[in-house]
């Protein structure tokens, strides 16, 4: 059974730092992996989608990598800003049951001014 | 702009009452999903539909019901049988459901509180 883990559960860094959020999954048979951002009381905003054949995706200050063989993905945020404070969730779409994605529990990120 | 609209944003339910949460999408996506989010528990799948007039139970379907009469609409009814309905409900969609590798789009959520 696929499991998705995000460690740490919470992270606080000063403004301007580069940081990495981690996501690990137990089964490498996936269609894709998607990173989301969730602000308090709001829905999920898609940040990056990486297909299983890709190694990374970039959008602005965000870069997501995927290593299927080791079951890991990282979300790199460059030059962090207070507006980056939110919960970041990764979700894996297993190829064995493609209709249902599996979410990690998220990392709550706080950027200190 | 294309997207998913959930309404209402806040909903209050009395004990023993059924309530319906609305989810509408104009993305022309085939598949739609309902998730429940509780503090510290992450997202759990309630129901999903990959085509009009067809839907499947997710991991926590008890006490909920859905319909999919139109491609763009997937309303969720929280029945009186749901013992602990207070939660944040999220609707999502994706283009091809089981087929293909497209990502998910989420609505802004409905917060349901039992009073």
């Amino acid at each position: 059974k696929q499991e998705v883990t995000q460690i740490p559960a919470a992270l606080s860094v000063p403004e301007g730092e580069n940081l990495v959020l981690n996501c690990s999954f137990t089964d490498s048979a996936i269609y894709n992996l998607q990173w989301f951002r969730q602000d308090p009381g709001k829905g999920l905003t898609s940040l990056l989608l990486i297909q299983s054949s890709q190694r990374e995706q970039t959008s602005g200050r965000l870069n997501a990598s995927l290593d299927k063989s080791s079951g890991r993905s990282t979300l790199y945020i460059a030059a962090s800003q207070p507006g980056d404070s939110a919960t970041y969730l990764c979700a894996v779409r297993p190829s064995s049951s493609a209709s249902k994605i599996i979410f990690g529990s998220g990392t709550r990120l706080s950027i200190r001014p | 702009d294309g997207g998913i609209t959930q309404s209402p944003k806040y909903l209050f339910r009395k004990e023993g009452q059924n309530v319906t949460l609305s989810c509408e999408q104009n993305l022309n996506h085939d598949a739609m999903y309902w998730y429940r989010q509780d503090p510290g528990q992450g997202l759990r799948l309630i129901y999903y539909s990959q085509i009009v007039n067809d839907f499947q139970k997710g991991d926590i379907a008890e006490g909920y019901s859905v319909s999919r009469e139109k491609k763009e609409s997937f309303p969720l009814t929280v029945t009186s049988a749901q013992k602990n309905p207070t939660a944040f409900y999220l609707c999502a969609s994706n283009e091809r459901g089981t087929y293909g590798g497209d990502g998910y789009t989420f609505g802004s959520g409905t917060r349901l509180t039992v009073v």
Side-chain angles (χ1 to χ4, degrees), chain B residues 41-58:
Chain B
Q41 290 204 41
L43 282 85
R44 293 182 289 171
L45 181 64
I46 304 172
Y47 268 100
Y48 64 101
S49 167
Q50 298 196 76
I51 196 169
V52 173
N53 293 323
D54 185 58
F55 47 83
Q56 307 293 329
K57 291 182 179 179

Side-chain angles (χ1 to χ4, degrees), chain A residues 92-103:
Chain A
V92 164
R93 189 161 177 191
S95 53
S96 61
S97 178
S99 58
K100 295 183 282 185
I101 61 173
I102 298 172
F103 287 88

Side-chain angles (χ1 to χ4, degrees), chain A residues 1-24:
Chain A
K1 179 186 172 185
Q2 178 73 271
E3 293 183 1
V4 181
T5 304
Q6 292 185 251
I7 295 173
L11 181 64
S12 178
V13 301
E15 180 178 3
E17 278 201 6
N18 302 325
L19 60 98
V20 173
L21 304 180
N22 296 298
C23 174
S24 61

Side-chain angles (χ1 to χ4, degrees), chain A residues 32 34 38 42 51 93 99, chain B residues 33 37 88 97 101-102 104:
Chain A
N32 57 43
Q34 193 168 3
Q38 186 176 31
K42 306 290 186 184
Q51 302 297 339
R93 189 161 177 191
S99 58
Chain B
Y33 310 80
Q37 189 177 35
F88 190 51
D102 57 310
Y104 281 48

Side-chain angles (χ1 to χ4, degrees), chain A:
Chain A
K1 179 186 172 185
Q2 178 73 271
E3 293 183 1
V4 181
T5 304
Q6 292 185 251
I7 295 173
L11 181 64
S12 178
V13 301
E15 180 178 3
E17 278 201 6
N18 302 325
L19 60 98
V20 173
L21 304 180
N22 296 298
C23 174
S24 61
F25 48 96
T26 54
D27 188 342
S28 61
I30 64 170
Y31 264 126
N32 57 43
L33 184 145
Q34 193 168 3
W35 281 94
F36 295 91
R37 167 186 173 139
Q38 186 176 31
D39 293 288
K42 306 290 186 184
L44 275 64
T45 300
S46 180
L47 298 173
L48 290 163
L49 173 69
I50 310 177
Q51 302 297 339
S52 61
S53 58
Q54 297 174 323
R55 296 283 295 183
E56 66 179 299
Q57 283 286 327
T58 298
S59 176
R61 293 183 294 110
L62 305 179
N63 176 278
S65 69
L66 175 64
D67 184 344
K68 269 202 329 176
S69 60
S70 66
R72 291 169 60 181
S73 176
T74 62
L75 179 66
Y76 174 83
I77 302 177
S80 60
Q81 304 169 358
D84 295 328
S85 298
T87 296
Y88 291 79
L89 296 131
C90 69
V92 164
R93 189 161 177 191
S95 53
S96 61
S97 178
S99 58
K100 295 183 282 185
I101 61 173
I102 298 172
F103 287 88
S105 53
T107 294
R108 190 171 66 253
L109 177 64
S110 174
I111 307 298
R112 305 190 300 270

